Amino acid sequence: MNPYEAVRLVELDLRQLVRIVLGSSWMDAALAGGVVDVTKLEAKVADERGRRPATVVSTDLLDYTEFTQLQVLILDKQWEAFAPALGKKRHIETYLSKIAGFRNPTMHARALLPFEEHLVLGISGELRNRIAIYRNIKEQSSMYYPVVQSITDNFGNIHDGVTNAIIQTGVRMEIGETVKFTCRATDPEDRELHWQLCSNAAGHPDRQTDEATGNEVVLSYTFTRADVSEQVPLLITLSSSGEFHRLPGSTAWDATAMFHYAVNPPADRR
């Protein structure tokens, strides 16, 4: 993992932690503490839509908060709520300060010295492990089974591993077009993780599947004539190499997510 990716993942995991710890009340906490300005966050959403007209951008305002705002919310405004997840405050203050200091160089592709790269990777790894351990305690089943961190399609639709396991993407596809998913997960026992993608439509004649193994993988699905409809449910499943699984039965899955798409009829049949 390179320093850029390490910093990016810390930021994503901090947002995930805010969702887990504060839930939907995060905005109230941030507003009460003067951490965010809703108007500015909404302007960022509008700007993102303008810059990326071909993608479905997130409307979750938490995704548009800045790293420094996350720092203030966690360390200064809501530390008592986050302490069980992160440990000693002075350590986390130092870690986040270091990450913030390295964030601009890495995000703007300026090279770090070798010892700086190692420092970024070390801090990132420890912070992400602390968050993963807290999730394991908070969500007791995660002490035994894999945890999905995120599943994102190439249009920007995301399953965050906590909410919205069924995603209505609102995306229309043409026959022959392909959708790709970037999938991330962790396992408390570092077991091998197996992913599978297929259509979950009843009676689908073409059992097209894509499979991959690892903590971070990319899966793809190409739409065919058999998919033409207003609702094509693509099912992504995750299972560990362990003997036991979160979802029992013949499937032996540990997590699932469903993304719905519409597929247009061919041009000559419209």
Side-chain angles (χ1 to χ4, degrees), residues 98-118:
K98 290 288 186 182
I99 289 291
F102 289 128
R103 185 177 181 278
N104 284 339
T106 58
M107 293 302 175
H108 292 89
R110 295 198 295 273
L112 298 178
L113 294 174
F115 80 89
E116 292 176 318
E117 290 189 4
H118 291 308

Side-chain angles (χ1 to χ4, degrees), residues 2 21 27 52 73 91-92 113 115 121 136 140 168 171 187 215 224-226 240 270:
N2 60 49
V21 173
M27 178 62 81
R52 304 175 66 191
L73 178 62
H91 291 164
I92 303 306
L113 294 174
F115 80 89
L121 294 174
N136 289 345
Q140 290 190 2
Q168 303 290 345
V171 175
D187 185 79
N215 289 61
T224 69
R225 296 176 73 90
S240 78
R270 294 175 190 171

Side-chain angles (χ1 to χ4, degrees), residues 157-173:
N157 297 291
I158 184 169
H159 165 47
D160 61 15
V162 179
T163 58
N164 66 314
I166 298 178
I167 297 91
Q168 303 290 345
T169 68
V171 175
R172 303 193 69 87
M173 304 293 290

